[in-house]
Amino acid sequence: MPVPTMVKSSNLANYRGREVMAFGKVLSNEGKVMSIELCDGGRVTVRFPDVTEASPESKVEIQGRVEGDGISIAGMQLIHLSDDTDMKITSKTIDVLENWMADCFDFEK
């Protein structure tokens, strides 16, 4: 099974229909629907098939498929991260990895 691509809100629309991994902070949770502030500060709506536990302000990793609108994710899995997770560093890491992939494998961003 391939590893999902790490994304930020700034490049989410480029991955419509594909499985992705996103990191952020929970803004609100209504059971099956969450509002998440991704690591680069953009907001995304994540819809899960079942009620998913995560309190506001908690930091999470979301795995799911980008929906056709390019601004929401159909959630498949949620992983709770440490409160110490630095979202700015996470965002920069995604930038570095994306640029490295483009340089090493002639991969288009």
Side-chain angles (χ1 to χ4, degrees):
M1 179 172 165
V3 175
T5 302
M6 289 186 276
V7 297
K8 304 188 305 183
S9 64
S10 59
N11 66 355
L12 193 63
N14 298 336
Y15 295 95
R16 286 182 176 97
R18 292 178 51 192
E19 286 187 29
V20 297
M21 182 185 318
F23 302 87
K25 178 175 66 173
V26 176
L27 298 175
S28 66
N29 181 358
E30 297 176 18
K32 292 184 178 183
V33 179
M34 287 186 196
S35 178
I36 307 286
E37 180 181 315
L38 295 184
C39 61
D40 63 345
R43 293 185 180 188
V44 65
T45 299
V46 182
R47 292 176 181 81
F48 289 95
D50 298 311
V51 172
T52 304
E53 298 290 327
S55 59
E57 300 298 313
S58 60
K59 295 179 180 175
V60 295
E61 173 188 326
I62 303 286
Q63 292 184 14
R65 186 174 304 277
V66 179
E67 295 184 336
D69 60 9
I71 57 170
S72 56
I73 298 173
M76 301 160 129
Q77 183 175 16
L78 179 135
I79 299 168
H80 292 271
L81 303 174
S82 166
D83 290 339
D84 296 334
T85 303
D86 187 318
M87 289 297 149
K88 288 182 183 178
I89 291 174
T90 302
S91 180
K92 293 290 185 188
T93 301
I94 293 170
D95 289 340
V96 168
L97 289 172
E98 186 176 52
N99 290 328
W100 178 78
M101 291 291 291
D103 291 345
C104 291
F105 300 104
D106 197 26
F107 172 81
E108 286 191 39
K109 295 189 236 180

